[in-house]
């Protein structure tokens, strides 16, 4: 196989995939930075590197998400291992982390529960930024628990416990100061499930019954008995689910439920608090 340069192989790949994806795949294959690619256009790849890169380009052109191809994704200020067993952490979910951190004092002991932790992105970001806090992360998928545990070890957080189970089933009698969740919320049968990256992500992480609201109902109904007085519940939801989430929260006893938009201006997170004397 003829040896080709970084510039040549990138230009050829741009005919098949987006330039940003091609650069990320090549960075991964060469184990080099973006800066290296830009400053070494004439660097020649080995025949093995050409082979591996071209295979990845083919898979990307067929739709596989870059994060699964390279095995990682940046989220908040951390890099997480991702496999097809977990949802790829999304930038819009960083809003949930920010709102959670605002409610967990840095110098105080708190207990936080993350329901449906997936890769552990939310739980681990909170644990990393609030070392005095104890975080419990739950997921029904054993494969997701394995990925979240690998991430906790890689990122070096020890104030987190990762548990396999369904929502609060493994939490009898346990109370928290804050419960966060980014549960499955796409309506079953929604055509988006058959498009783009979603085609490759676990259905268990994406789809929910009752127009996508089923998991919210289950979580909201049980949340008050697992929160201390004055405790907070924060959830991520779909673009048209904010009103339903606020109404459901109010029905189960949360006061002044609110919703906030993500950077794209889409209503993304809703939250509520229990009365101090709940
Ligand atoms: C939308 S993903 C969120 C993953 C991660 N928290 C994030 O924000 O990137 C939803 C997660 O909920 C988990 N899940 C689905 N049903 C569940 C249940 N009954 N109990 C616990 N976790 C569940 C899925 O396995 C999946 O990991």
């Amino acid at each position: 196989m003829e040896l080709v340069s970084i510039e040549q192989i990138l230009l050829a790949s741009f005919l098949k995939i987006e330039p940003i994806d091609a650069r990320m795949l090549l960075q991964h294959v060469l184990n080099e930075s973006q800066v290296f690619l830009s400053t070494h256009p004439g660097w020649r790849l080995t025949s093995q590197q050409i082979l591996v890169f071209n295979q990845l380009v083919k898979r990307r052109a067929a739709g596989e998400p870059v994060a699964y191809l390279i095995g990682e994704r940046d989220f908040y200020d951390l890099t997480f291992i991702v496999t097809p067993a977990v949802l790829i952490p999304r930038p819009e979910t960083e809003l949930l982390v920010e709102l959670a951190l605002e409610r967990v004092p840095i110098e105080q002991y708190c207990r936080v529960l993350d329901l449906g932790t997936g890769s552990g992105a939310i739980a681990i970001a909170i644990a990393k930024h609030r070392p005095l806090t104890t975080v419990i992360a739950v997921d029904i998928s054993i494969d997701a628990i394995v990925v979240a545990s690998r991430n906790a070890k890689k990122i070096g957080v020890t104030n987190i416990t990762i548990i396999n189970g369904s929502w609060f089933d493994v939490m009898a009698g346990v109370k928290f100061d804050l419960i966060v969740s980014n549960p499955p919320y796409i309506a079953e049968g929604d055509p988006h499930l058959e498009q783009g990256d979603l085609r490759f992500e676990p259905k268990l992480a994406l789809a929910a019954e009752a127009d996508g609201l089923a998991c919210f109902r289950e979580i909201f109904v049980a949340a008050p008995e697992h929160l201390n007085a004055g405790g907070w519940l924060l959830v991520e939801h779909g673009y048209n689910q904010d009103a339903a989430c606020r109404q459901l929260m109010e029905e189960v006893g949360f006061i002044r439920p609110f919703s906030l938009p993500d950077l794209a201006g889409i209503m993304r997170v809703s939250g509520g608090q229990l009365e101090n004397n709940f």
Side-chain angles (χ1 to χ4, degrees), residues 75 85-90 93 96 114-123 138-142 144 163-169 181-185 202-207 215 218-219 236:
F75 176 80
V86 296
L87 186 96
I88 300 163
R90 307 287 204 268
T93 304
L96 184 56
D114 174 29
L115 293 172
T117 201
S119 63
I122 299 168
V138 175
D139 205 289
I140 200 164
S141 155
I142 295 202
I163 302 174
N164 182 224
S166 179
W167 305 142
F168 294 99
D169 283 3
S181 185
N182 174 18
Y185 57 69
K203 287 285 169 291
L204 184 60
L206 297 169
C215 298
E218 270 188 77
I219 291 170
E236 176 176 321

Side-chain angles (χ1 to χ4, degrees), residues 168 171-176 220-228 274 278:
F168 294 99
M171 292 294 137
V174 189
K175 292 202 175 217
F176 298 88
F220 293 179
V221 165
E225 70 184 85
H226 292 280
L227 277 171
N228 293 319
L274 288 187
F278 188 85

Side-chain angles (χ1 to χ4, degrees), residues 4-57:
V4 296
S5 68
I6 284 179
E7 188 175 34
Q8 287 168 329
I9 204 161
L10 278 178
L11 279 176
S13 68
F14 293 169
L15 299 172
K16 298 175 190 147
I17 62 174
E18 292 293 325
I20 187 173
D21 294 347
R23 289 199 181 90
M24 284 179 79
L25 294 178
L26 193 54
Q27 260 180 267
H28 170 68
V29 171
L30 301 184
N31 195 22
E32 293 287 358
S33 66
Q34 198 61 251
V35 173
F36 181 89
L37 298 195
S38 307
T39 53
H40 295 75
W43 182 276
R44 295 199 176 268
L45 281 73
T46 66
S47 47
Q48 180 63 20
Q49 287 167 335
I50 295 170
L51 196 71
V52 174
F53 178 72
N54 285 337
Q55 281 166 350
L56 291 176
V57 168

